[in-house]
Amino acid sequence: MQLKKGFVLRTVCGENVITGEGLNAIDFGRLLCLNETAAWLWRKAEEQADFTVDSLADALCQEYDVSIEQARQDVAAMVGEWQKVGVVED
């Protein structure tokens, strides 16, 4: 998977938000708020370019004290939300 080009993570009024730039801002038409962990996962997805739920879950386990099973479940849920709003492509 990849993050769609034209969507960026920004800090707005102390909140982590994904927003569209250029034409994507017009098509997207809203902000997607992320908690600290979700924002961290977004940055890891940017670093990896092509990422999977497993690759992000592995990174999450290296950074936080969480089991691989819980990490996979949480990452899959977050990536599913990103897919639902259209900021991720296969």
Side-chain angles (χ1 to χ4, degrees):
M1 284 177 269
Q2 296 179 336
L3 301 175
K4 279 190 179 177
K5 293 194 184 310
F7 290 98
V8 294
L9 176 65
R10 298 203 186 286
T11 303
V12 178
C13 297
E15 297 290 328
N16 295 304
V17 296
I18 296 172
T19 187
E21 291 186 318
L23 292 177
N24 286 324
I26 295 168
D27 293 340
F28 194 55
R30 63 188 170 115
L31 301 176
L32 177 64
C33 293
L34 303 180
N35 66 25
E36 287 299 317
T37 306
W40 184 89
L41 286 171
W42 181 272
R43 289 183 195 99
K44 285 297 172 187
E46 286 178 321
E47 288 175 15
Q48 293 181 13
D50 279 322
F51 65 90
T52 64
V53 167
D54 286 341
S55 70
L56 291 180
D58 289 342
L60 190 63
C61 286
Q62 291 175 16
E63 184 71 16
Y64 296 98
D65 184 23
V66 61
S67 71
I68 190 64
E69 295 83 14
Q70 186 65 54
R72 282 188 186 121
Q73 183 179 351
D74 293 346
V75 169
M78 187 77 265
V79 170
E81 289 298 314
W82 294 347
Q83 289 172 318
K84 191 184 313 181
V85 297
V87 297
V88 173
E89 56 193 3
D90 293 324

